Amino acid sequence: VTREFSIASGGGLHFRTHDEFAAAVDWLATHPEAAVRMGRAGRRFVLETFAWEAVTRRLIDFLRATGAERWL
């Protein structure tokens, strides 16, 4: 998961180093309610952003916006 997806989704913590990763795991272990909220938010983000329906909708919108409707 990238930093950008973590922020956009509200579904996780981002880190750059092993120590930051360890701190994030420790934080999640001591904040289970927040971990559940982040898990739900991450799942919602993935379903809304990367489900086939969402991907094809964006592709169709792009093709229409660029005048490439012949590819539909």
Side-chain angles (χ1 to χ4, degrees):
V1 174
T2 66
R3 177 181 182 274
E4 290 78 16
F5 285 152
S6 178
I7 292 168
S9 69
L13 302 172
H14 50 90
F15 54 89
R16 289 179 289 182
T17 67
H18 179 271
D19 290 339
E20 288 178 358
F21 173 73
V25 170
D26 289 342
W27 189 88
L28 290 169
T30 59
H31 296 84
E33 297 86 8
V36 168
R37 280 194 307 275
M38 282 192 268
R40 288 181 180 148
R43 177 175 169 71
R44 183 173 48 252
F45 178 79
V46 167
L47 292 174
E48 291 173 357
T49 307
F50 299 111
W52 279 114
E53 183 178 308
V55 172
T56 56
R57 182 180 60 246
R58 286 195 309 274
L59 176 59
I60 289 168
D61 290 348
F62 171 78
L63 292 172
R64 286 184 175 142
T66 60
E69 289 183 330
R70 69 173 187 244
W71 297 104
L72 293 175

